[in-house]
Amino acid sequence: HSKHHPAAVDDAGPAAWRDLGRDVDLFLKRVERLEASNLETLKTQIKQDEKKLRVAEHRDQTTHKTHTRHNAKPGKLICDGKSIQHEIIYWKDVPGDMTYESPITPHHANHDQKYLTFEYDAGGWNNVRMGVECVVVFAHATGRTLVAPPAQNLYLLGAPNPHSQKRKLGFNDFFVTDRLEAQEGMHMISMEEFLKRQQSEVEIWRRPNATDFWGQKLWRYLKKSADVKPEYSGQVVAMGRLNPTAETKAKDAEALKKQAAGRKVAAYDSKAQNARHVHFPAGGKHRLLNHFYAFGFFGDPQQRSFYRRLIRDSMRYRDEIQCAGARVVDAVRAHSRRLGNDGTFYALHIRRGDFQFKAVKISAGEIVENLRGNSIIPRGALVYLATDDPDGVCKGCWANKKPCKDQLGVEGCPKDASWDAFVRNGWHVTVLRNYTEATHGTNPNYFGMVDSIVCARAAVFAGTWFSTFTGYIHRLRGYHGLGEETYYHSTGKVDLARSPKSIGSGYSREWRIGWTDDGGANI
């Protein structure tokens, strides 16, 4: 027995009591000194723990609500031939959604007679994705057959893939198209099939002399042969109800005014409705660099909600990409546990390179200052960097049409491009290439998508203002119920992702309305 065990004290008599009293006094003095020296640290730790609990509670509540809403069931993910359950799954199977048809178009039986073609945006991948989402919603709403372009050389994609010689990439390489094609109100065909139909269904001067066009030759042909090329760039396209009442007209007008937010309202007019072939070029007044929920307005609230679910559930990345993302998330959480962080991790997206917005290409020190030191991301945290500059050297960085190596210190070219300030702030920094086992066999052109999946599961995320990559991560986090734990690290923009305003337009950020109903509940 210890001499301080009750039995030992009884046996030893008064001397043991004196020893015990002295030890208690010493213990209390040590506690007082500890409290005095660590009070602020303790306060900070308590706040951080409380924040973690709130995030976890909010995530659990949101997951329960969104899984039960509309009697929805969690979506499926097939990895290595097996169906798995994983935290990255945000998509759902909602009863009735696969049979839903647009209530504003009367010609569902005539899908094969009216077509919608489009060009991929000339910008980065997430600009391409935004345009594709817009045309998917437009095609479904108007009852047109959507023609999927063939694989192309896409900007910043086409990295050598050791597992395939394929360099051109397209619609089917990124999205789960079988679910979209199975949706009863959605009709899709390949560009090859469309060109075959053109050879027999249109005037001779509009007939193609081949069915394997791609690139600029294809875009030129589509522009020349289309009946209508809408100029919807920067506008909201309004599609009212078929038989509105005076009451619904008033409600719709108010909702449209809110969504338009000062933008010009365009109509899907009779010329476009009657056209056999509508084509969306990629540039100028035709460019669809906007979010699908800001691009199209529908008077029926149920229709608005359906399109948000359609994009969430049927326009997700294919399983190969999602499974790689799941493996990396697991690896990052294991890394966090080795650091004693219970699997919790944080994430930043930092865009540099040739990004044209100089003001947001800042140093790690400025990012730490903007994120208020350790008030958003705590000391000791594992911080996952999704970046085009993993070495922290700003290789390939440009500003004012000149390489940064020749003009360090000017706006857009930080003098210190390293991530050392993150380490000095007490963060453990990691990047995708540290998890090669998890990404083994993955097409390198999918690495950006994998980054977005990982960032979507971070406890807190901060991204780059103006970046559509950051914007998409924000929406994915909204799907997961983590939208309110999202920030920007860009100067003057830190809290804008969490601002009360829920509806907006443009490409610089995403909005809550992308993952919520009009009333604010998760779709």
Side-chain angles (χ1 to χ4, degrees):
H1 288 317
S2 163
K3 70 176 181 176
H4 293 156
H5 190 279
V9 171
D10 289 343
D11 293 342
W17 286 106
R18 285 194 300 272
D19 290 342
L20 178 60
R22 184 179 64 250
D23 287 354
V24 169
D25 287 341
L26 289 172
F27 173 73
L28 291 175
K29 287 178 180 177
R30 285 197 298 269
V31 170
E32 288 174 358
R33 289 196 297 270
L34 181 64
E35 287 178 343
S37 62
N38 292 336
L39 184 60
E40 290 304 314
T41 302
L42 288 170
K43 285 181 179 178
T44 301
Q45 186 61 50
I46 289 170
K47 286 181 180 179
Q48 291 172 356
D49 290 345
E50 287 177 344
K51 184 172 184 179
K52 286 181 182 179
L53 287 171
R54 287 196 302 271
V55 170
E57 182 181 13
H58 177 71
R59 181 174 62 243
D60 292 343
Q61 290 176 348
T62 303
T63 299
H64 174 73
K65 289 177 181 177
T66 53
H67 278 184
T68 56
R69 185 170 170 77
H70 308 288
N71 296 316
K73 296 179 181 179
K76 296 178 181 179
L77 177 61
I78 306 297
C79 297
D80 298 323
K82 298 178 181 179
S83 178
I84 69 167
Q85 294 297 315
H86 199 279
E87 65 175 279
I88 69 162
I89 298 175
Y90 60 81
W91 55 96
K92 300 175 177 64
D93 289 323
V94 181
D97 276 6
M98 292 301 289
T99 58
Y100 181 91
E101 294 194 352
S102 171
I104 62 173
T105 179
H107 48 79
H108 284 288
N110 299 324
H111 276 288
D112 287 345
Q113 299 176 16
K114 299 202 174 188
Y115 303 95
L116 175 64
T117 60
F118 67 98
E119 301 174 24
Y120 291 125
D121 192 272
W125 165 249
N126 281 284
N127 292 10
V128 173
R129 174 191 52 75
M130 288 168 64
V132 172
E133 290 176 344
C134 286
V135 297
V136 164
V137 169
F138 189 87
H140 188 282
T142 59
R144 289 184 171 275
T145 292
L146 180 63
V147 182
Q152 306 288 314
N153 293 322
L154 299 177
Y155 177 62
L156 296 181
L157 294 174
N161 179 6
H163 311 288
S164 171
Q165 297 300 311
K166 183 178 180 180
R167 298 295 290 271
K168 299 184 182 70
L169 300 166
F171 203 91
N172 296 334
D173 293 298
F174 299 101
F175 299 114
V176 180
T177 56
D178 55 350
R179 180 181 171 90
L180 197 62
E181 291 169 348
Q183 207 285 329
E184 290 189 13
M186 190 82 209
H187 290 243
M188 296 176 62
I189 60 172
S190 67
M191 183 60 70
E192 183 179 11
E193 174 60 28
F194 173 71
L195 294 177
K196 285 180 181 177
R197 295 185 186 186
Q198 289 287 91
Q199 289 179 330
S200 61
E201 294 179 4
V202 298
E203 301 92 328
I204 292 177
W205 68 269
R206 288 204 290 180
R207 293 177 184 175
N209 58 14
T211 60
D212 59 352
F213 289 166
W214 73 280
Q216 291 302 315
K217 186 175 183 179
L218 174 62
W219 304 150
R220 286 194 295 270
Y221 168 75
L222 294 175
K223 288 172 187 172
K224 182 179 178 181
S225 65
D227 300 303
V228 171
K229 298 182 286 292
E231 297 181 352
Y232 291 153
S233 182
Q235 303 179 38
V236 55
V237 183
M239 299 187 188
R241 312 182 199 218
L242 280 183
N243 299 298
T245 64
E247 181 181 2
T248 57
K249 276 184 179 180
K251 287 183 179 180
D252 294 352
E254 184 62 29
L256 175 58
K257 181 179 178 181
K258 188 175 181 181
Q259 180 169 324
R263 290 179 294 156
K264 182 179 178 181
V265 176
Y268 180 55
D269 57 24
S270 58
K271 181 180 179 181
Q273 291 176 33
N274 295 327
R276 175 183 176 276
H277 176 195
V278 172
H279 177 64
F280 281 104
K285 296 180 179 179
H286 309 284
R287 193 182 188 193
L288 299 180
L289 189 59
N290 208 336
H291 304 301
F292 72 92
Y293 52 81
F295 165 68
F297 172 80
F298 306 95
D300 184 353
Q302 293 185 1
Q303 189 175 13
R304 293 198 291 268
S305 183
F306 166 76
Y307 286 130
R308 294 165 201 165
R309 297 195 304 274
L310 177 71
I311 296 301
R312 179 194 66 188
D313 302 334
S314 298
M315 281 292 291
R316 67 170 180 86
Y317 291 141
R318 56 187 295 176
D319 284 1
E320 179 184 350
I321 301 171
Q322 300 285 357
C323 294
R327 292 193 298 270
V328 177
V329 168
D330 290 343
V332 174
R333 292 208 185 279
H335 186 174
S336 170
R337 285 189 289 271
R338 291 195 296 273
L339 295 172
N341 287 335
D342 300 323
T344 300
F345 71 96
Y346 299 76
L348 301 174
H349 168 232
I350 302 174
R351 179 75 161 90
R352 285 180 169 174
D354 63 347
F355 201 45
Q356 67 267 44
F357 301 103
K358 297 179 293 183
V360 301
K361 293 160 70 173
I362 57 180
S363 69
E366 291 172 283
I367 290 174
V368 169
E369 183 178 351
N370 290 341
L371 294 179
R372 304 186 280 274
N374 293 123
S375 65
I376 295 175
I377 300 178
R379 177 172 289 274
L382 177 63
V383 180
Y384 182 93
L385 298 189
T387 180
D388 55 355
D389 185 26
D391 293 315
V393 295
C394 225
K395 182 179 179 180
C397 288
W398 285 66
N400 305 314
K401 300 181 180 180
K402 299 178 182 177
C404 280
K405 63 183 179 66
D406 298 331
Q407 49 177 344
L408 292 178
V410 306
E411 186 179 48
C413 297
K415 276 187 177 180
D416 181 5
S418 75
W419 308 127
D420 293 348
F422 293 159
V423 178
R424 290 195 297 270
N425 198 46
W427 297 344
H428 302 277
V429 177
T430 190
V431 294
L432 181 63
R433 68 184 180 195
N434 293 336
Y435 307 99
T436 53
E437 185 175 345
T439 59
H440 179 71
T442 303
N443 185 335
N445 293 293
Y446 295 158
F447 285 171
M449 294 82 175
V450 172
D451 266 342
S452 68
I453 293 168
V454 178
C455 290
R457 294 304 302 157
V460 172
F461 167 76
T464 303
W465 181 256
F466 282 127
S467 166
T468 53
F469 183 88
T470 280
Y472 190 52
I473 293 171
H474 187 192
R475 195 203 305 167
L476 292 178
R477 292 177 63 77
Y479 292 151
H480 283 295
L482 294 169
E484 302 309 307
E485 297 301 327
T486 300
Y487 300 81
Y488 294 100
H489 54 66
S490 306
T491 305
K493 309 292 185 182
V494 175
D495 294 302
L496 286 185
R498 304 163 71 245
S499 63
K501 186 178 178 183
S502 293
I503 299 177
S505 62
Y507 59 85
S508 60
R509 59 160 296 180
E510 293 250 6
W511 303 84
R512 285 186 195 89
I513 204 66
W515 56 88
T516 63
D517 281 333
D518 294 352
N522 273 42
I523 53 175

